[in-house]
Amino acid sequence: MTFMQRLGAAAGLIEQRLSELLAECGPEKGERLADAMEHALLGGGKRFRPFLVVETARLFDVVPDKAMDAGAAFECVHCYSLAHDDLPAMDDDDLRRGRPTVHKAFDEWTAILAGDALLTLAFEIMSRQGTHPDAAVRSELTRLLAHAAGGRGMVLGQMLDLAADKRGEPAAPTIGHVQRLQALKTGALLAAACEAGAVLGGATGEIRAAVRRYGEHLGLAFQIADDLLDAEGDAETVGKATGKDHAAGKATLVSLLGIEAARARLEDAVRGAERELAPFGDKAATLIEAARFTASRGH
Ligand code: GRG
């Protein structure tokens, strides 16, 4: 199986599980809120964060089935963040995953509430007994997800990003500022997804930390690849508008470093990711491929 086939197969399984969890814990089918949550959650997306949970858990011999619900919780947070990010008050996008964004398919207030409900659904899923039999593990997973998603993680990253876009702050962003912003906005959830796999596998100390650092390198690679796509990709292949950052004069690692140096930093991040998983030998082959895929992805 190629890496893309493996990612696609995992996406199919996670999509199925997301659909079941939405039916079990979400609003009744037929409610406008249920339809909007379904639009935000199902029908597209690489399901990369659940894939990372499942694959990092596999390093510790956890079978995919036992990591699926924790992965689904991460995907709910991710999909809420996309629905809110696409709103006119934030990044203002009409297209996501090749389809109308939630507020275009419904309206703004529905998109806000669907996002809110997906965020809370994530924590309901994470704290259900089926996610892990040990309450201490569920509690640690819940803390990990909350920390990554919240005011010291993704929301802070989004705040810094919008402060730059809408208020021009800081006036002269440094590479350090952009890197911090991105590590929070995109990296925090990706790194926590990897760490969650290690937590599911009972890993502690330096081993858990190494898996997290793998996720941090991956997050950086993911963001630089996204910036390169914005600078060089076309909307049809990417499934959303491109050239927006460039047209807005936005500071990204690509605009601050130039395309060549950004590419070099991307390769560096991939090597860092590989280095962290070296002690796992062949067991880490899929995750190493995931890092390479992240760097080379075209959508
Ligand atoms: C609204 C609090 C709040 C946060 C939003 C994630 C995010 C923060 C905004 C998304 C904007 C964006 C384009 C970020 C760059 C990287 C990124 C997260 C891309 C989308 O993730 P993928 O490629 O998407 O995993 P799919 O569709 O495959 O799930």
Side-chain angles (χ1 to χ4, degrees):
M1 226 198 267
T2 66
F3 176 75
M4 284 305 286
Q5 286 167 332
R6 210 187 298 262
L7 183 61
L13 293 176
I14 189 71
E15 177 103 7
Q16 172 63 31
R17 190 63 192 136
L18 285 167
S19 164
E20 288 165 10
L21 288 164
L22 186 59
E24 272 174 51
C25 310
E28 302 253 319
K29 241 187 156 30
E31 292 274 4
R32 184 176 175 79
L33 181 60
D35 293 344
M37 288 171 75
E38 192 177 299
H39 185 90
L41 189 62
L42 304 180
K46 293 180 287 300
R47 313 304 187 190
F48 196 42
R49 291 148 193 83
F51 178 79
L52 289 172
V53 176
V54 166
E55 289 302 326
T56 49
R58 209 200 288 272
L59 290 175
F60 305 95
D61 299 320
V62 175
V63 295
D65 221 27
K66 303 277 181 216
M68 202 57 91
D69 284 11
F74 273 87
E75 188 67 12
C76 288
V77 170
H78 172 58
C79 291
Y80 121 76
S81 82
L82 297 180
H84 280 192
D85 183 62
D86 289 334
L87 285 165
M90 295 214 186
D91 205 35
D92 193 11
D93 271 304
D94 296 349
L95 193 63
R96 167 75 61 190
R97 295 170 167 169
R99 298 186 307 155
T101 48
V102 186
H103 68 276
K104 282 284 161 190
F106 294 83
D107 46 53
E108 283 182 41
W109 54 272
T110 304
I112 292 170
L113 293 172
D116 291 340
L118 283 173
L119 176 59
T120 41
L121 176 63
F123 291 99
E124 183 173 347
I125 293 171
M126 201 61 113
S127 52
R128 278 161 44 117
Q129 186 147 24
T131 297
H132 195 280
D134 183 343
V137 171
R138 294 200 300 277
S139 161
E140 178 59 6
L141 290 168
T142 304
R143 189 200 62 77
L144 194 59
L145 179 58
H147 190 80
R152 285 186 174 216
M154 182 179 71
V155 171
L156 177 59
Q158 180 77 346
M159 188 76 194
L160 296 175
D161 201 25
L162 292 180
D165 280 359
K166 306 205 182 271
R167 297 166 62 90
E169 290 171 2
T174 59
I175 290 175
H177 177 81
V178 172
Q179 214 155 340
R180 172 170 177 255
L181 180 166
Q182 295 184 340
L184 291 166
K185 179 180 149 183
T186 320
L189 208 57
L190 289 166
C194 295
E195 196 174 356
V199 170
L200 282 165
T204 54
E206 181 45 34
I207 296 179
R208 173 173 165 178
V211 176
R212 183 181 173 87
R213 287 196 300 272
Y214 159 83
E216 288 169 355
H217 287 299
L218 186 87
L220 179 60
F222 191 95
Q223 186 62 55
I224 300 176
D226 206 68
D227 291 345
L228 285 166
L229 276 179
D230 184 81
E232 300 179 312
D234 66 276
E236 206 174 317
T237 10
V238 182
K240 60 175 187 178
T242 58
K244 279 189 68 175
D245 293 351
H246 184 70
K250 183 168 176 166
T252 65
L253 287 185
V254 173
S255 74
L256 291 176
L257 292 167
I259 288 196
E260 283 319 305
R263 263 193 212 298
R265 205 164 272 220
L266 174 63
E267 278 154 29
D268 237 30
V270 173
R271 274 194 295 275
E274 290 173 352
R275 201 171 48 238
E276 295 298 345
L277 296 191
F280 292 95
D282 287 351
K283 267 192 156 174
T286 300
L287 287 166
I288 304 269
E289 278 189 76
R292 292 184 189 144
F293 158 80
T294 297
S296 65
R297 84 205 151 98
H299 56 85

